[in-house]
Amino acid sequence: QVQFVESGGGLVQAGGSLRLSCVASGLVFRFADIGWYRQTPGNEREYVASIRSDSSTNYADSVKGRFTISRDNAKNTVYLQMNSLKPEDTAVYYCNRRRPYDIWGRGTQVTVSS
């Protein structure tokens, strides 16, 4: 089965930075398009950023210019570098294959204080 394990979340002040990691297994990683998503209690999961197998990237408008997605195929890992964090970035962050989705991991909590 395909699995994703997210890590790197934590508590930071507004304006701070975090780097999230997503380790994937059970798939041919170098051919996969991977996305980051986030969710807060009572809200739907929302798209954050994605990276294709050719390393092209895409970002939600809310994070453009602040977040950077990257991948290391040798480590089966996708990263999300988050800079200039805002309180509204507070959420549980998940990674998954873009299409079709595999099972969701536990996510990693990011909390940004004002």
Side-chain angles (χ1 to χ4, degrees), residues 23-78:
V23 180
S25 61
L27 76 168
V28 183
F29 182 80
R30 69 183 185 275
F31 295 146
D33 302 334
I34 305 295
W36 281 98
Y37 309 82
R38 65 189 183 187
Q39 187 172 30
T40 55
N43 297 110
E44 296 182 351
R45 184 180 289 111
E46 68 172 333
Y47 167 80
V48 175
S50 60
I51 184 165
R52 295 183 62 87
S53 59
D54 65 1
S55 293
S56 62
T57 59
N58 182 267
Y59 300 90
D61 288 342
S62 59
V63 306
K64 283 182 179 178
R66 300 188 298 119
F67 291 10
T68 303
I69 188 171
S70 61
R71 67 193 297 158
D72 185 342
N73 290 340
K75 297 181 178 180
N76 278 24
T77 301
V78 173

Side-chain angles (χ1 to χ4, degrees), residues 10-14 18 38-41 43 46 66-67 82 85-93 108-114:
L11 173 63
V12 297
Q13 295 184 11
L18 285 172
R38 65 189 183 187
Q39 187 172 30
T40 55
N43 297 110
E46 68 172 333
R66 300 188 298 119
F67 291 10
M82 306 186 295
L85 283 163
K86 304 175 181 180
E88 51 263 44
D89 295 319
T90 295
V92 177
Y93 284 71
T108 185
Q109 176 72 50
V110 172
T111 303
V112 184
S113 62
S114 60

